[in-house]
Structures are given as C-alpha cells and as structure tokens.
Amino acid sequence: MTIRYDYVIIGGGPASVWAAATLRENDKMGSILLIGEESHPPYDRPPLSKKMLIDDAVTVDDPYTKFDNFYPDNNIELKKNTRVERINRPDKTLSLVGGESVGYGKLLIATGARPNPPEFAGGDLPGVYLLRHIEDSLAIRDALKANKRLLLVGSGYIGMEVAAAGIKRGLEVTIVDPAPHPWSKFASPKFGAFIRDYYEKQGVNFLLGESVDRIEESAEGGLTVTLKSGKTLQTDMVVAGVGAKLNTELAEGAGLPTDPKKGIRTNANLQTEDPSIFVAGDVALFEDTIMGQNWHLEHHLNAKWQGQAVGKNMAGANEPYAKVPYFFSDEFDLHIIIRGLGQGGEETQFVGDVDGAEFTELYYSKEGLLQMGISVSRSEETCDALANKLETLILEKFNVLTNSNQVEKVLSVEN
Ligand code: NAD
C-alpha cells in the first residue's frame, strides 16, 4: 500500500529541516514526510570541521539542527536510515530501497553532495579520511588525538579548517594543493598570500603547486605520501578535501533538467520544470536574481535560507529566492565571512589593517561594480556587521571606483 503525503522531502540536511519547519508554519494541516539516509536527524555541518574536531565535549548530537520533540511536536514524520531509489513522476510516488513506496503531492529534492573521492592510489587506506558526516568528524577527532603528523590534501574549506584543528591539537601539519595559493577557488592571490602567511606563522607547512600521486603504508608505521613531483613525505594521517560531487542522480533518473556538476535546474522560486517538484541546498542550480547568475552554492546558510524559502513556496507563496550569498569560516582566532559572488572579481582592493588581520577585501568588476567582499576579524560581531554592510552595498550596486573616497567610511563598523 502506498501512503500519500501532501509534502515529501528527500534529504536529511539543513535545507530539508528548514523546509519542513517553514512548511508547518505556513500549512498547519498538510502531512509532511522527511526522508534521510543517515541514522541521525538533520544536522548542521559547520561544527564538523571546526568545534567538533577541537573540543572533546562536543557530542554526537550537538550539531543536530532541531532538538527535543521538534518532529513529533510539529507533526513532521521523520524517516531515517532510508534511501530513495527512484522518483516516479507519472504517479507522483517514490520507490524506497527495500520495496516500500510513498506518494507525494509536492516533493522537495535536497539531496546535497558527497566528497569527491581522492584521485590518487591509496585513498582507501586506514588513516586516510574524507569529511562529510558526523561519524567522519568523530573519526578524524580520534585520529588527531592519537597522532603527531597530519597531511591535508586540498587547501579549500575542509583543508584549511582541519589544518587549524590539527595545529590546535599540537600536530605537525602540511597542506598539499596543486593551486598557487589557499582558497584559490574564490580568493585573490593577495588574500591567498595573507592567509598562507597567517597559517605559516601558526606552524602550517604548505606544498603548493604539488599534488599527491599515491599513498602507501610505511614500513616504520604511518603513511608514505608520494607527490607527482617525486617528493615523498611521512605522515600519520591524511584528510582529503578536494571538493564535492552533487547528488543529482535521483533527479536525472526522473528526467528533470540536471547538470551533474552544476545541479538540478530550477527557476528563481526553486521550482523545477515539473511544478510539483522543488529543489534546495547544495544541489539547486537556481536562477539567482540578486547576483544575476544561474548557479548552485555549497554553504550552510544557502541551505538554511533556501530551505525556508522553498518551504514557503511549496505552501503556495511563489516568491523568488533573493539573498546575497553568505559564506563563513573560522580559522584559529579569525572569523572570515564572504558576501556575494563567492568566486572573486576582476579587481580587488583592501580596506583596513591587513597586517593586524582586521580588514575587508572588495572584489569588483573592471567598471567598479562590487561583486564580493571578504572580511576578516577576530571579533565575530565586527564580521557580522561587515557582512550586513557588504550585503547592502551589493544590493545597492555600489561602485568601488566612483566612490573610492567613501570606501573606508562605508565599511567602518562604527558607522
Ligand atoms: P573546496 O572546493 O572548498 O576545496 C577543494 C580544494 O581542493 C581546492 O583548494 C582545490 O585546489 C583542491 N584540489 C582539487 N583537486 C586536488 C588534488 N587532486 N590534490 C590536492 N588538492 C586538490 O572543497 P572542500 O574543502 O573539499 O569542501 C567540500 C565541501 O564542503 C564544499 O561543498 C564546501 O563548501 C563544504 N565546506 C564548507 C565549509 C565552509 O563553508 N566553511 C567548511 C567545510 C566544508
């Protein structure tokens, strides 16, 4: 027998839980089913590469997005440990692994992403880790406590955050990346030089322009890492953070317009070409009316905000998702926020005290149009205030060149 729900949500991440919560606020009576394949209720990932790694007091359920009786209290049915095998659009049902079938009135696909597997040989050896789930974070935490040497493959979000955790735990830390500077996906070479220098002062060793060829178990214990240049390194553990692969397969199988690298295509309301199917979070290739792009974003606040927006839309609001993208990262004692494009700009300008690690870097087009800002501060409040200022400036289409004499003033947090 197929049980039908008014709303079915596939995926156990923050986009899903925020969609469910917002659906319930906007539709008191509709039946809601949330299906996740993990053994946990939906949880937030930011602590997994930060606090959970350095603080033994963080327990397995601390990252959960909602606590207590949120699901039963809100009449949201939560089906954990469950994988959807197929979306059957003609009869609006889902086939679950194990043979069960459920029906939907409206469907949300929020299937997220998974870590790219390392391309080098030895990626499956004990001591080599990927990071996506709570269990991965706990396993890495245990390994950080048991070992002396840590090698990171990749200087993106995971590589840089886990490196900071490794230093805090007293390990010798090395980062390998073929890119010329850390965070090369979005940061300018000048910002890359700043962050590299900051990390080096904390003791991190960078091997940039290098990539891993293979990892083997070492006769003396630990791991031998051979780089493509022929150089070899000894380490006790490796964490690879070489980007994510979007979980687009279900949508593809259902015949929805999908690009495996960019996501599942939606309009500005996060609705696919099938009006009963919506998408949110990492996997949504959406029409971004604010930034003027069709793209997907892999970040916590994007998942949360899109979940809230899509919940409203599934309940009938029909409103475009309209937020200036917001990324954040914590490294050592620094808070770092990014507003805007998340992929840099043609020109950049520093405002503030770079040597003192209290500054903003503005990224703008050749014509001066502000596209992105990165702010760095030791104060979370200052970063929050700067994030709001950058949002306003981007929405106002601030021109950095024609307003060059105002830049310092508009970014002053005392303003
Ligand atoms: P990423 O895209 O941030 O960084 C990937 C890095 O790997 C890049 O620096 C790239 O140059 C490097 N790389 C690519 N191929 C390589 C190779 N063969 N050898 C060495 N380096 C290589 O991806 P990530 O750090 O793996 O993060 C995965 C996902 O988790 C992303 O979706 C990310 O947004 C998310 N995440 C976000 C945060 C945050 O926003 N603070 C924190 C952790 C994870």
Side-chain angles (χ1 to χ4, degrees):
M1 197 188 73
T2 299
I3 302 178
R4 289 209 163 261
Y5 295 82
D6 295 312
Y7 308 103
V8 176
I9 299 171
I10 312 176
S16 296
V17 65
W18 286 109
T22 314
L23 266 171
R24 181 51 75 228
E25 278 166 27
N26 289 273
D27 181 345
K28 302 283 179 236
M29 300 307 292
S31 51
I32 304 174
L33 171 67
L34 194 162
I35 304 173
E37 63 181 333
E38 290 188 61
S39 58
H40 303 283
Y43 58 87
D44 298 337
R45 293 186 201 283
L48 273 51
S49 49
K50 305 178 183 73
K51 201 167 188 314
M52 196 166 217
L53 294 181
I54 53 178
D55 183 352
D56 292 341
V58 178
T59 58
V60 69
D61 50 359
D62 278 336
Y64 289 3
T65 311
K66 297 285 185 183
F67 289 97
D68 305 321
N69 294 316
F70 169 79
Y71 299 95
D73 284 355
N74 287 284
N75 201 11
I76 295 164
E77 194 175 324
L78 176 62
K79 216 173 174 46
K80 296 184 286 187
N81 300 306
T82 304
R83 210 176 144 75
V84 176
E85 191 165 53
R86 203 170 48 250
I87 300 168
N88 312 299
R89 285 168 59 200
D91 65 355
K92 296 176 100 174
T93 62
L94 305 178
S95 306
L96 309 185
V97 171
E100 208 184 322
S101 159
V102 293
Y104 61 85
K106 286 183 181 159
L107 178 68
L108 174 62
I109 305 175
T111 42
R114 57 186 184 268
N116 275 334
E119 286 165 2
F120 46 80
D124 51 357
L125 285 174
V128 181
Y129 300 87
L130 300 176
L131 176 51
R132 184 79 189 173
H133 302 297
I134 283 180
E135 288 73 15
D136 302 329
S137 178
L138 292 172
I140 292 170
R141 178 166 86 185
D142 285 346
L144 290 174
K145 285 156 71 176
N147 289 306
K148 290 197 165 55
R149 298 166 299 184
L150 163 67
L151 184 125
L152 285 315
V153 184
S155 64
Y157 282 112
I158 287 182
M160 296 297 275
E161 291 182 1
V162 178
I167 291 288
K168 283 211 164 168
R169 290 270 185 197
L171 281 81
E172 198 181 288
V173 178
T174 302
I175 301 183
V176 178
D177 195 313
H181 62 81
W183 278 345
S184 60
K185 228 160 94 173
F186 60 87
S188 71
K190 280 187 272 179
F191 188 92
F194 158 79
I195 197 77
R196 176 183 177 166
D197 181 58
Y198 203 87
Y199 268 60
E200 283 176 340
K201 285 186 177 135
Q202 309 284 337
V204 175
N205 176 35
F206 283 91
L207 290 168
L208 299 172
E210 293 269 16
S211 47
V212 174
D213 181 62
R214 60 185 185 278
I215 301 182
E216 293 151 310
E217 277 171 333
S218 159
E220 300 87 56
L223 300 164
T224 301
V225 181
T226 306
L227 304 183
K228 292 214 169 115
S229 62
K231 210 179 276 177
T232 60
L233 306 160
Q234 300 300 319
T235 191
D236 302 315
M237 61 180 289
V238 173
V239 178
V242 293
K245 166 147 184 29
L246 300 173
N247 293 325
T248 54
E249 291 84 351
L250 274 179
E252 251 174 278
L256 293 167
T258 299
D259 178 325
K261 288 215 159 67
K262 295 185 184 157
I264 307 162
R265 191 169 288 281
T266 77
N267 62 17
N269 298 358
L270 302 170
Q271 190 173 33
T272 67
E273 66 170 28
D274 179 333
S276 56
I277 304 185
F278 295 74
V279 188
D282 292 0
V283 82
L285 168 55
F286 68 105
E287 185 191 336
D288 184 340
T289 53
I290 299 278
M291 300 310 297
Q293 311 249 338
N294 285 291
W295 63 346
H296 82 279
L297 294 166
E298 297 170 18
H299 194 72
H300 178 72
L301 285 174
N302 178 64
K304 176 178 178 179
W305 291 343
Q306 285 198 345
Q308 292 169 323
V310 88
K312 251 177 117 180
N313 282 345
M314 289 170 78
N318 273 329
E319 290 167 3
Y321 173 72
K323 292 273 194 190
V324 176
Y326 189 147
F327 307 78
F328 60 85
S329 189
D330 298 328
E331 332 272 348
F332 301 107
D333 58 342
L334 299 183
H335 299 286
I336 302 178
I337 64 94
I338 302 169
R339 290 307 296 255
L341 269 191
Q343 53 189 214
E346 290 161 296
E347 310 285 338
T348 82
Q349 180 185 331
F350 283 97
V351 182
D353 176 8
V354 179
D355 293 338
E358 296 285 339
F359 68 92
T360 294
E361 187 185 21
L362 299 175
Y363 291 69
Y364 50 96
S365 68
K366 284 210 159 38
E367 295 73 37
L369 183 69
L370 179 63
Q371 294 169 320
M372 182 180 115
I374 304 184
S375 296
V376 177
S377 176
R378 291 194 180 76
S379 150
E380 206 166 352
E381 289 73 33
T382 301
C383 259
D384 287 347
L386 287 166
N388 293 339
K389 281 176 182 286
L390 288 167
E391 176 185 36
T392 307
L393 294 175
I394 289 170
L395 288 172
E396 284 173 353
K397 304 204 179 304
F398 184 78
N399 191 300
V400 180
L401 296 177
T402 55
N403 294 293
S404 58
N405 55 348
Q406 304 229 15
V407 167
E408 296 268 354
K409 189 162 173 263
V410 292
L411 286 171
S412 156
V413 284
E414 279 82 44
N415 271 337

